[in-house]
Amino acid sequence: MDANDAGSNAPEGPHVPAQQPPPPEPPPHEPAAAAPVGVAALSLRYQVAAALAVAVVAVTALVHLGMVFLHVAPSNTVTKQHGKAIDEWIYPEFEQNWKLFAPNPLQQNIEVQVRADIRTAAGETRTTGWYDLSAEDGAAIDGNLLPSHTEQNELRRAWDFLTATHDAQNRAIGVRGTLAETYLRRIVVLRLDRDHAAGAGGTVQRVQVRSRTTNVPPPQWSDEQVSTTPQYRLLPWWPVPAAEAAGGVR
């Protein structure tokens, strides 16, 4: 007889409880939306007001920087036409003077030239043509990535030294004026020797220096009228000592 038949005395097996399904997982926690901060937290009306305030400050800052730039910049077409408005904006609170750090650029081309009286090997005396020493320096600098300090500044600084220590009649003012003459004379004699101005066996007896100043023409869009006629400053003849006559001072 089958043990499962009714009335069977067969012992029952151990009781196994029915397996229950797992409880459902809770839904993932969604972070709360971050509250707006800064300008975004303001209402639309206040956001518009803040944007207008920022725009006004930015425009004012740009105008101020432009006015300061025009005030410290060299004279130009804009400053000549609107100089009064620029001065009214700058003075007295925002006055600037940066000439120590950004001096006005030169608006003239100054060329230093020299000629000499030469005694030739045959005992004759002749006067050379004008040697443009500034042009020689310019040619040496042009295209040179590492020009020497001598080529850039020696002649220019010597001429500036002389003009600062001489009056309008080219007379030396004190000991510094005499020193400036000596310094410039030695430079031009050395340059003449380098250019072989005296020729073979010749010597330099006297030198005369002059400057040729030409205004830099204004740009095409400017209505400024500037004379481009060269102006000359002619110094007197300087005798050359025997020690320097053949370029012996170096």
Side-chain angles (χ1 to χ4, degrees), residues 168-250:
Q169 286 72 40
N170 298 321
R171 294 175 300 194
I173 303 174
V175 178
R176 287 176 56 83
T178 304
L179 177 63
E181 290 182 3
T182 303
Y183 181 52
L184 181 59
R185 187 189 69 236
R186 290 185 175 184
I187 290 175
V188 299
V189 169
L190 288 174
R191 299 291 184 92
L192 290 171
D193 180 67
R194 185 177 65 185
D195 292 336
H196 306 289
T203 58
V204 177
Q205 292 187 311
R206 298 191 307 168
V207 293
Q208 186 177 35
V209 181
R210 74 176 183 183
S211 67
R212 182 179 186 270
T213 303
T214 308
N215 291 322
V216 177
Q220 296 181 354
W221 46 261
S222 174
D223 58 357
E224 183 179 3
Q225 300 297 325
V226 175
S227 174
T228 56
T229 303
Q231 301 294 324
Y232 293 91
R233 178 172 180 175
L234 186 65
L235 302 184
W237 284 94
W238 293 334
V240 178
E244 300 176 23
V249 178
R250 300 185 184 276

Side-chain angles (χ1 to χ4, degrees), residues 29-75:
H29 177 72
E30 296 181 0
V37 295
V39 178
L42 302 176
S43 64
L44 179 60
R45 180 178 61 181
Y46 288 106
Q47 288 182 6
V48 172
L52 289 176
V54 172
V56 170
V57 171
V59 171
T60 303
L62 290 176
V63 171
H64 177 71
L65 290 176
M67 290 293 190
V68 172
F69 172 79
L70 291 173
H71 174 67
V72 301
S75 179

